[in-house]
Amino acid sequence: MAKYVNMAKYVQLSLFDKGDEDRESAQQDNQPIEEQIILTDISFKLKRGTSVARDELDKISILFSENYGFWSEKSPIRPGERIKLSPDRFKEILNKDHIFIATAHHNDDIVGQAIYLRKHYGDDGFITWVLQLVVNSKYRRLGIATKLLNSIWGFSNDTAWGLATINALTIKTLEKATFRKCDPRSIKKNIKLIEMAKNDVSFARDAEIELSDKQSIINTHFFIDISEFKSLLDSYGDRWQLGELKPGWEWLAFTFTHQKVQLN
């Protein structure tokens, strides 16, 4: 059983526990000193999706709809408009077995959230798939997303951890949290594990996957604007292993417990 599974407890964390890197980021963003002090009082919570109250659904919907991003100009629906989900749609997403949510709170506001599937697949053990991650734009570059993902993936004994994403930085966080590299060859070798979890993920269930030694992508038909993420990918250079994205596709990124642990 993973060490983080107690969903009822709050874990009080300082935003700046991550160290000087986050302090410098806040200073570079020219945030007022008074606000930096307030931002140290952030609480993080893990809970089952079925236990999310109505007022929380409203806050989750607002956070997502105001901060997640925009449909790309090539999107077949609402090109260039903000991506939004209603409270009722979130209730539908969360009101399922094996679905959990990690949230970051500042005062009465939810400023970050990660929704994920964590399920035991018989002899194959637990598989965790992060389905959605969003942080309030005013609270970014302070380590909230990293803390949310570490609370889900970090220091667990799951068989596999992963997600579909267009953000290379999120994949880097996956590697750091699980101490393993996201290698398309390992993903290809363990595709049966991913397929089991894929059947429990509505947007991925019937999605086409393209896998090779140098590519791991999934056609989720999610036409999000990726312009702000291109510079992150450029920073990887030749070290990037998951291939190029096509419109409507995302990277399929997973690590596995049998992989060699890398502490660097």
Side-chain angles (χ1 to χ4, degrees), residues 188-240:
K188 186 176 180 180
K189 181 179 178 180
N190 292 279
I191 189 60
K192 289 184 178 180
L193 289 174
I194 297 173
E195 291 283 0
M196 286 191 298
K198 182 173 173 281
N199 288 330
D200 290 312
V201 178
S202 59
F203 65 79
R205 186 176 298 122
D206 299 318
E208 177 186 1
I209 294 175
E210 290 187 5
L211 282 175
S212 71
D213 290 351
K214 297 182 178 180
Q215 179 175 259
S216 179
I217 57 176
I218 181 169
N219 187 8
T220 57
H221 299 282
F222 190 43
F223 289 83
I224 188 173
D225 180 12
I226 64 172
S227 57
E228 66 176 297
F229 300 109
K230 288 183 178 180
S231 61
L232 295 174
L233 184 59
D234 291 341
S235 67
Y236 272 86
D238 295 337
R239 294 178 293 113
W240 185 250

Short mmCIF file of all heavy atoms in Angstrom, two decimals, residues 188-240:
data_model
loop_
_atom_site.label_atom_id
_atom_site.label_comp_id
_atom_site.label_asym_id
_atom_site.label_seq_id
_atom_site.Cartn_x
_atom_site.Cartn_y
_atom_site.Cartn_z
N LYS A 188 6.45 0.91 -24.46
CA LYS A 188 6.07 -0.09 -25.46
C LYS A 188 6.08 -1.49 -24.86
O LYS A 188 5.17 -2.30 -25.09
CB LYS A 188 7.04 -0.01 -26.65
CG LYS A 188 6.68 -0.90 -27.82
CD LYS A 188 7.65 -0.68 -28.96
CE LYS A 188 7.31 -1.56 -30.16
NZ LYS A 188 8.27 -1.34 -31.28
N LYS A 189 7.07 -1.77 -24.04
CA LYS A 189 7.20 -3.08 -23.41
C LYS A 189 6.06 -3.34 -22.43
O LYS A 189 5.63 -4.49 -22.25
CB LYS A 189 8.54 -3.17 -22.68
CG LYS A 189 8.81 -4.49 -21.99
CD LYS A 189 10.18 -4.48 -21.33
CE LYS A 189 10.45 -5.78 -20.60
NZ LYS A 189 11.79 -5.75 -19.93
N ASN A 190 5.55 -2.29 -21.81
CA ASN A 190 4.52 -2.43 -20.78
C ASN A 190 3.15 -1.92 -21.22
O ASN A 190 2.32 -1.55 -20.39
CB ASN A 190 4.95 -1.67 -19.52
CG ASN A 190 6.15 -2.30 -18.85
OD1 ASN A 190 6.04 -3.25 -18.11
ND2 ASN A 190 7.32 -1.73 -19.12
N ILE A 191 2.92 -1.94 -22.53
CA ILE A 191 1.68 -1.38 -23.05
C ILE A 191 0.44 -2.10 -22.51
O ILE A 191 -0.62 -1.49 -22.36
CB ILE A 191 1.69 -1.41 -24.60
CG1 ILE A 191 0.49 -0.62 -25.15
CG2 ILE A 191 1.72 -2.84 -25.11
CD1 ILE A 191 0.45 0.82 -24.75
N LYS A 192 0.56 -3.37 -22.15
CA LYS A 192 -0.60 -4.09 -21.60
C LYS A 192 -1.05 -3.49 -20.27
O LYS A 192 -2.25 -3.43 -19.98
CB LYS A 192 -0.27 -5.58 -21.44
CG LYS A 192 -0.14 -6.32 -22.76
CD LYS A 192 0.08 -7.82 -22.55
CE LYS A 192 0.17 -8.55 -23.88
NZ LYS A 192 0.39 -10.01 -23.69
N LEU A 193 -0.10 -3.04 -19.45
CA LEU A 193 -0.46 -2.38 -18.20
C LEU A 193 -1.22 -1.08 -18.49
O LEU A 193 -2.24 -0.78 -17.85
CB LEU A 193 0.80 -2.06 -17.39
CG LEU A 193 1.56 -3.21 -16.75
CD1 LEU A 193 2.84 -2.70 -16.11
CD2 LEU A 193 0.69 -3.89 -15.70
N ILE A 194 -0.70 -0.30 -19.43
CA ILE A 194 -1.33 0.98 -19.78
C ILE A 194 -2.72 0.75 -20.36
O ILE A 194 -3.66 1.49 -20.08
CB ILE A 194 -0.44 1.77 -20.74
CG1 ILE A 194 0.89 2.11 -20.07
CG2 ILE A 194 -1.14 3.04 -21.22
CD1 ILE A 194 1.91 2.75 -20.98
N GLU A 195 -2.86 -0.28 -21.19
CA GLU A 195 -4.15 -0.58 -21.80
C GLU A 195 -5.20 -0.89 -20.74
O GLU A 195 -6.38 -0.52 -20.89
CB GLU A 195 -4.02 -1.76 -22.77
CG GLU A 195 -3.23 -1.46 -24.04
CD GLU A 195 -4.02 -0.65 -25.05
OE1 GLU A 195 -5.19 -0.32 -24.77
OE2 GLU A 195 -3.47 -0.32 -26.11
N MET A 196 -4.81 -1.55 -19.65
CA MET A 196 -5.76 -1.84 -18.57
C MET A 196 -6.29 -0.55 -17.96
O MET A 196 -7.51 -0.39 -17.79
CB MET A 196 -5.11 -2.71 -17.50
CG MET A 196 -4.89 -4.15 -17.90
SD MET A 196 -4.42 -5.20 -16.50
CE MET A 196 -2.87 -4.45 -16.01
N ALA A 197 -5.38 0.36 -17.64
CA ALA A 197 -5.81 1.63 -17.07
C ALA A 197 -6.54 2.48 -18.10
O ALA A 197 -7.50 3.19 -17.76
CB ALA A 197 -4.59 2.38 -16.52
N LYS A 198 -6.11 2.42 -19.33
CA LYS A 198 -6.71 3.19 -20.42
C LYS A 198 -8.21 2.91 -20.54
O LYS A 198 -9.00 3.81 -20.84
CB LYS A 198 -5.98 2.83 -21.71
CG LYS A 198 -6.41 3.56 -22.97
CD LYS A 198 -5.46 3.20 -24.09
CE LYS A 198 -5.88 3.75 -25.44
NZ LYS A 198 -6.93 2.94 -26.06
N ASN A 199 -8.60 1.68 -20.27
CA ASN A 199 -10.02 1.33 -20.35
C ASN A 199 -10.86 2.02 -19.28
O ASN A 199 -12.09 2.09 -19.40
CB ASN A 199 -10.19 -0.19 -20.23
CG ASN A 199 -9.72 -0.93 -21.46
OD1 ASN A 199 -9.79 -0.40 -22.57
ND2 ASN A 199 -9.21 -2.14 -21.27
N ASP A 200 -10.20 2.54 -18.23
CA ASP A 200 -10.91 3.25 -17.17
C ASP A 200 -10.82 4.77 -17.31
O ASP A 200 -11.28 5.50 -16.43
CB ASP A 200 -10.34 2.83 -15.80
CG ASP A 200 -10.70 1.40 -15.44
OD1 ASP A 200 -11.89 1.05 -15.57
OD2 ASP A 200 -9.80 0.65 -15.04
N VAL A 201 -10.23 5.24 -18.41
CA VAL A 201 -10.08 6.67 -18.66
C VAL A 201 -10.92 7.02 -19.88
O VAL A 201 -10.61 6.61 -21.00
CB VAL A 201 -8.60 7.04 -18.89
CG1 VAL A 201 -8.46 8.52 -19.21
CG2 VAL A 201 -7.76 6.66 -17.68
N SER A 202 -11.98 7.79 -19.68
CA SER A 202 -12.96 8.02 -20.74
C SER A 202 -12.34 8.63 -22.00
O SER A 202 -12.66 8.19 -23.11
CB SER A 202 -14.10 8.90 -20.22
OG SER A 202 -13.61 10.15 -19.77
N PHE A 203 -11.46 9.62 -21.85
CA PHE A 203 -10.92 10.28 -23.04
C PHE A 203 -9.85 9.46 -23.74
O PHE A 203 -9.48 9.75 -24.88
CB PHE A 203 -10.35 11.67 -22.68
CG PHE A 203 -9.16 11.65 -21.77
CD1 PHE A 203 -7.88 11.35 -22.24
CD2 PHE A 203 -9.29 11.95 -20.42
CE1 PHE A 203 -6.78 11.35 -21.40
CE2 PHE A 203 -8.20 11.95 -19.57
CZ PHE A 203 -6.94 11.64 -20.06
N ALA A 204 -9.36 8.40 -23.08
CA ALA A 204 -8.30 7.58 -23.67
C ALA A 204 -8.77 6.20 -24.10
O ALA A 204 -8.07 5.52 -24.85
CB ALA A 204 -7.16 7.42 -22.66
N ARG A 205 -9.95 5.80 -23.65
CA ARG A 205 -10.41 4.42 -23.84
C ARG A 205 -10.31 3.95 -25.29
O ARG A 205 -9.83 2.85 -25.57
CB ARG A 205 -11.86 4.29 -23.33
CG ARG A 205 -12.39 2.88 -23.34
CD ARG A 205 -13.78 2.82 -22.73
NE ARG A 205 -13.76 3.26 -21.34
CZ ARG A 205 -14.47 4.28 -20.86
NH1 ARG A 205 -15.27 4.98 -21.67
NH2 ARG A 205 -14.41 4.61 -19.58
N ASP A 206 -10.78 4.75 -26.21
CA ASP A 206 -10.78 4.37 -27.63
C ASP A 206 -9.71 5.11 -28.43
O ASP A 206 -9.74 5.09 -29.67
CB ASP A 206 -12.16 4.63 -28.24
CG ASP A 206 -13.26 3.83 -27.55
OD1 ASP A 206 -13.02 2.65 -27.26
OD2 ASP A 206 -14.33 4.41 -27.30
N ALA A 207 -8.78 5.75 -27.73
CA ALA A 207 -7.77 6.57 -28.41
C ALA A 207 -6.68 5.72 -29.05
O ALA A 207 -6.22 4.74 -28.48
CB ALA A 207 -7.15 7.56 -27.43
N GLU A 208 -6.26 6.14 -30.23
CA GLU A 208 -5.16 5.48 -30.93
C GLU A 208 -3.83 5.86 -30.27
O GLU A 208 -3.62 7.00 -29.87
CB GLU A 208 -5.15 5.93 -32.40
CG GLU A 208 -4.01 5.35 -33.22
CD GLU A 208 -3.95 5.94 -34.61
OE1 GLU A 208 -4.80 6.80 -34.94
OE2 GLU A 208 -3.05 5.54 -35.39
N ILE A 209 -2.93 4.88 -30.16
CA ILE A 209 -1.60 5.10 -29.60
C ILE A 209 -0.56 4.80 -30.67
O ILE A 209 -0.67 3.80 -31.40
CB ILE A 209 -1.35 4.21 -28.37
CG1 ILE A 209 -2.28 4.61 -27.21
CG2 ILE A 209 0.11 4.29 -27.91
CD1 ILE A 209 -2.17 3.70 -26.00
N GLU A 210 0.45 5.66 -30.77
CA GLU A 210 1.58 5.39 -31.66
C GLU A 210 2.83 5.26 -30.81
O GLU A 210 3.22 6.20 -30.11
CB GLU A 210 1.74 6.51 -32.69
CG GLU A 210 0.64 6.53 -33.73
CD GLU A 210 0.90 7.53 -34.85
OE1 GLU A 210 2.00 8.14 -34.86
OE2 GLU A 210 0.02 7.70 -35.72
N LEU A 211 3.45 4.08 -30.88
CA LEU A 211 4.62 3.78 -30.07
C LEU A 211 5.77 3.29 -30.93
O LEU A 211 5.58 2.50 -31.86
CB LEU A 211 4.30 2.70 -29.03
CG LEU A 211 3.53 3.10 -27.77
CD1 LEU A 211 3.22 1.86 -26.94
CD2 LEU A 211 4.34 4.09 -26.95
N SER A 212 6.95 3.77 -30.61
CA SER A 212 8.18 3.27 -31.23
C SER A 212 9.31 3.51 -30.24
O SER A 212 9.07 3.98 -29.12
CB SER A 212 8.46 3.97 -32.55
OG SER A 212 8.83 5.32 -32.33
N ASP A 213 10.54 3.21 -30.63
CA ASP A 213 11.68 3.47 -29.75
C ASP A 213 11.92 4.96 -29.53
O ASP A 213 12.64 5.34 -28.60
CB ASP A 213 12.95 2.82 -30.32
CG ASP A 213 12.91 1.31 -30.24
OD1 ASP A 213 11.98 0.77 -29.58
OD2 ASP A 213 13.79 0.67 -30.83
N LYS A 214 11.32 5.81 -30.37
CA LYS A 214 11.55 7.25 -30.27
C LYS A 214 10.25 8.05 -30.23
O LYS A 214 10.27 9.26 -30.48
CB LYS A 214 12.40 7.72 -31.46
CG LYS A 214 13.80 7.11 -31.50
CD LYS A 214 14.60 7.65 -32.66
CE LYS A 214 16.02 7.07 -32.68
NZ LYS A 214 16.81 7.59 -33.82
N GLN A 215 9.16 7.40 -29.89
CA GLN A 215 7.88 8.10 -29.89
C GLN A 215 6.88 7.41 -28.97
O GLN A 215 6.82 6.19 -28.90
CB GLN A 215 7.31 8.14 -31.32
CG GLN A 215 5.97 8.83 -31.43
CD GLN A 215 5.50 8.95 -32.87
OE1 GLN A 215 5.62 10.01 -33.49
NE2 GLN A 215 4.98 7.86 -33.41
N SER A 216 6.09 8.23 -28.26
CA SER A 216 4.99 7.71 -27.44
C SER A 216 3.92 8.79 -27.39
O SER A 216 4.00 9.73 -26.59
CB SER A 216 5.47 7.36 -26.03
OG SER A 216 4.38 6.89 -25.24
N ILE A 217 2.90 8.69 -28.25
CA ILE A 217 1.84 9.68 -28.33
C ILE A 217 0.48 9.00 -28.39
O ILE A 217 0.36 7.84 -28.80
CB ILE A 217 2.02 10.63 -29.54
CG1 ILE A 217 2.06 9.83 -30.85
CG2 ILE A 217 3.28 11.46 -29.39
CD1 ILE A 217 2.14 10.72 -32.10
N ILE A 218 -0.55 9.73 -27.96
CA ILE A 218 -1.90 9.20 -27.93
C ILE A 218 -2.85 10.24 -28.50
O ILE A 218 -2.76 11.43 -28.20
CB ILE A 218 -2.30 8.80 -26.48
CG1 ILE A 218 -3.72 8.21 -26.45
CG2 ILE A 218 -2.15 9.97 -25.52
CD1 ILE A 218 -4.07 7.57 -25.11
N ASN A 219 -3.80 9.78 -29.33
CA ASN A 219 -4.73 10.68 -29.99
C ASN A 219 -5.97 10.89 -29.12
O ASN A 219 -6.96 10.18 -29.24
CB ASN A 219 -5.13 10.13 -31.36
CG ASN A 219 -5.97 11.11 -32.15
OD1 ASN A 219 -6.14 12.25 -31.75
ND2 ASN A 219 -6.49 10.67 -33.29
N THR A 220 -5.90 11.87 -28.22
CA THR A 220 -7.01 12.16 -27.32
C THR A 220 -8.01 13.14 -27.93
O THR A 220 -9.02 13.47 -27.30
CB THR A 220 -6.48 12.76 -26.00
OG1 THR A 220 -5.72 13.94 -26.30
CG2 THR A 220 -5.61 11.76 -25.27
N HIS A 221 -7.73 13.62 -29.15
CA HIS A 221 -8.57 14.60 -29.82
C HIS A 221 -8.74 15.86 -28.96
O HIS A 221 -9.80 16.48 -28.95
CB HIS A 221 -9.94 14.00 -30.17
CG HIS A 221 -9.87 12.83 -31.09
ND1 HIS A 221 -9.69 12.96 -32.45
CD2 HIS A 221 -9.94 11.49 -30.84
CE1 HIS A 221 -9.66 11.76 -33.01
NE2 HIS A 221 -9.80 10.86 -32.06
N PHE A 222 -7.69 16.20 -28.26
CA PHE A 222 -7.70 17.36 -27.37
C PHE A 222 -6.89 18.47 -28.04
O PHE A 222 -5.67 18.52 -27.93
CB PHE A 222 -7.11 16.98 -26.02
CG PHE A 222 -7.29 18.02 -24.96
CD1 PHE A 222 -8.50 18.68 -24.80
CD2 PHE A 222 -6.26 18.34 -24.10
CE1 PHE A 222 -8.68 19.64 -23.81
CE2 PHE A 222 -6.42 19.29 -23.10
CZ PHE A 222 -7.63 19.95 -22.97
N PHE A 223 -7.57 19.37 -28.72
CA PHE A 223 -6.92 20.39 -29.53
C PHE A 223 -6.64 21.64 -28.71
O PHE A 223 -7.20 22.71 -28.95
CB PHE A 223 -7.80 20.73 -30.75
CG PHE A 223 -7.86 19.64 -31.78
CD1 PHE A 223 -8.74 18.58 -31.63
CD2 PHE A 223 -7.04 19.67 -32.89
CE1 PHE A 223 -8.81 17.57 -32.58
CE2 PHE A 223 -7.10 18.67 -33.86
CZ PHE A 223 -7.99 17.61 -33.69
N ILE A 224 -5.76 21.52 -27.74
CA ILE A 224 -5.39 22.64 -26.89
C ILE A 224 -4.27 23.45 -27.55
O ILE A 224 -3.43 22.89 -28.28
CB ILE A 224 -4.96 22.16 -25.49
CG1 ILE A 224 -4.75 23.33 -24.54
CG2 ILE A 224 -3.72 21.28 -25.58
CD1 ILE A 224 -4.49 22.92 -23.09
N ASP A 225 -4.26 24.74 -27.32
CA ASP A 225 -3.19 25.60 -27.81
C ASP A 225 -1.90 25.27 -27.06
O ASP A 225 -1.85 25.38 -25.83
CB ASP A 225 -3.58 27.06 -27.60
CG ASP A 225 -2.52 28.04 -28.08
OD1 ASP A 225 -1.59 27.61 -28.80
OD2 ASP A 225 -2.62 29.23 -27.74
N ILE A 226 -0.86 24.86 -27.77
CA ILE A 226 0.39 24.44 -27.14
C ILE A 226 1.52 25.45 -27.32
O ILE A 226 2.67 25.17 -26.99
CB ILE A 226 0.85 23.07 -27.67
CG1 ILE A 226 1.18 23.14 -29.17
CG2 ILE A 226 -0.20 22.00 -27.41
CD1 ILE A 226 1.82 21.88 -29.71
N SER A 227 1.19 26.64 -27.82
CA SER A 227 2.24 27.62 -28.13
C SER A 227 3.09 27.97 -26.92
O SER A 227 4.30 28.16 -27.03
CB SER A 227 1.62 28.89 -28.72
OG SER A 227 0.66 29.45 -27.84
N GLU A 228 2.47 28.07 -25.73
CA GLU A 228 3.23 28.47 -24.55
C GLU A 228 4.17 27.37 -24.05
O GLU A 228 5.04 27.63 -23.22
CB GLU A 228 2.29 28.88 -23.42
CG GLU A 228 1.44 27.76 -22.86
CD GLU A 228 0.59 28.21 -21.68
OE1 GLU A 228 1.18 28.60 -20.66
OE2 GLU A 228 -0.65 28.18 -21.80
N PHE A 229 4.00 26.14 -24.54
CA PHE A 229 4.82 25.03 -24.07
C PHE A 229 5.99 24.71 -24.99
O PHE A 229 6.83 23.88 -24.66
CB PHE A 229 3.96 23.77 -23.91
CG PHE A 229 2.84 23.93 -22.92
CD1 PHE A 229 1.53 23.99 -23.36
CD2 PHE A 229 3.10 24.04 -21.57
CE1 PHE A 229 0.49 24.15 -22.46
CE2 PHE A 229 2.06 24.19 -20.66
CZ PHE A 229 0.75 24.25 -21.11
N LYS A 230 6.06 25.35 -26.15
CA LYS A 230 7.10 25.01 -27.12
C LYS A 230 8.50 25.29 -26.60
O LYS A 230 9.44 24.54 -26.87
CB LYS A 230 6.85 25.76 -28.43
CG LYS A 230 5.65 25.22 -29.21
CD LYS A 230 5.48 25.95 -30.53
CE LYS A 230 4.31 25.37 -31.32
NZ LYS A 230 4.10 26.05 -32.62
N SER A 231 8.66 26.37 -25.84
CA SER A 231 9.99 26.71 -25.33
C SER A 231 10.47 25.67 -24.32
O SER A 231 11.67 25.41 -24.20
CB SER A 231 9.97 28.10 -24.68
OG SER A 231 9.05 28.13 -23.58
N LEU A 232 9.54 25.06 -23.58
CA LEU A 232 9.91 24.01 -22.63
C LEU A 232 10.49 22.81 -23.36
O LEU A 232 11.47 22.22 -22.93
CB LEU A 232 8.68 23.58 -21.82
CG LEU A 232 8.07 24.63 -20.90
CD1 LEU A 232 6.79 24.10 -20.27
CD2 LEU A 232 9.06 25.04 -19.81
N LEU A 233 9.88 22.46 -24.49
CA LEU A 233 10.38 21.33 -25.27
C LEU A 233 11.74 21.64 -25.86
O LEU A 233 12.62 20.78 -25.91
CB LEU A 233 9.38 20.98 -26.37
CG LEU A 233 9.71 19.77 -27.22
CD1 LEU A 233 9.83 18.52 -26.37
CD2 LEU A 233 8.65 19.58 -28.30
N ASP A 234 11.93 22.87 -26.30
CA ASP A 234 13.21 23.26 -26.89
C ASP A 234 14.36 23.11 -25.89
O ASP A 234 15.50 22.82 -26.27
CB ASP A 234 13.15 24.71 -27.38
CG ASP A 234 12.23 24.88 -28.57
OD1 ASP A 234 11.93 23.87 -29.23
OD2 ASP A 234 11.79 26.03 -28.84
N SER A 235 14.06 23.27 -24.60
CA SER A 235 15.09 23.18 -23.58
C SER A 235 15.65 21.76 -23.45
O SER A 235 16.75 21.56 -22.96
CB SER A 235 14.56 23.65 -22.22
OG SER A 235 13.57 22.76 -21.74
N TYR A 236 14.89 20.77 -23.90
CA TYR A 236 15.36 19.39 -23.85
C TYR A 236 16.38 19.08 -24.94
O TYR A 236 17.27 18.26 -24.76
CB TYR A 236 14.18 18.42 -23.99
CG TYR A 236 13.49 18.06 -22.70
CD1 TYR A 236 12.49 18.86 -22.18
CD2 TYR A 236 13.82 16.91 -22.00
CE1 TYR A 236 11.84 18.54 -20.99
CE2 TYR A 236 13.18 16.57 -20.82
CZ TYR A 236 12.19 17.40 -20.33
OH TYR A 236 11.55 17.07 -19.16
N GLY A 237 16.20 19.72 -26.09
CA GLY A 237 17.11 19.46 -27.21
C GLY A 237 17.05 18.01 -27.66
O GLY A 237 15.98 17.40 -27.77
N ASP A 238 18.23 17.42 -27.87
CA ASP A 238 18.31 16.03 -28.35
C ASP A 238 17.94 15.01 -27.27
O ASP A 238 17.81 13.83 -27.56
CB ASP A 238 19.73 15.73 -28.85
CG ASP A 238 20.10 16.54 -30.07
OD1 ASP A 238 19.16 16.98 -30.77
OD2 ASP A 238 21.30 16.75 -30.31
N ARG A 239 17.78 15.48 -26.03
CA ARG A 239 17.45 14.54 -24.95
C ARG A 239 15.97 14.16 -24.93
O ARG A 239 15.58 13.24 -24.22
CB ARG A 239 17.84 15.16 -23.60
CG ARG A 239 19.33 15.34 -23.42
CD ARG A 239 19.66 16.01 -22.10
NE ARG A 239 19.20 17.39 -22.05
CZ ARG A 239 18.24 17.85 -21.26
NH1 ARG A 239 17.62 17.03 -20.44
NH2 ARG A 239 17.89 19.12 -21.27
N TRP A 240 15.15 14.86 -25.73
CA TRP A 240 13.72 14.55 -25.75
C TRP A 240 13.48 13.23 -26.48
O TRP A 240 13.96 13.03 -27.59
CB TRP A 240 12.93 15.66 -26.43
CG TRP A 240 11.45 15.44 -26.38
CD1 TRP A 240 10.63 15.12 -27.41
CD2 TRP A 240 10.63 15.48 -25.21
NE1 TRP A 240 9.34 14.98 -26.97
CE2 TRP A 240 9.32 15.18 -25.62
CE3 TRP A 240 10.88 15.75 -23.86
CZ2 TRP A 240 8.25 15.14 -24.73
CZ3 TRP A 240 9.83 15.70 -22.97
CH2 TRP A 240 8.53 15.41 -23.41
#
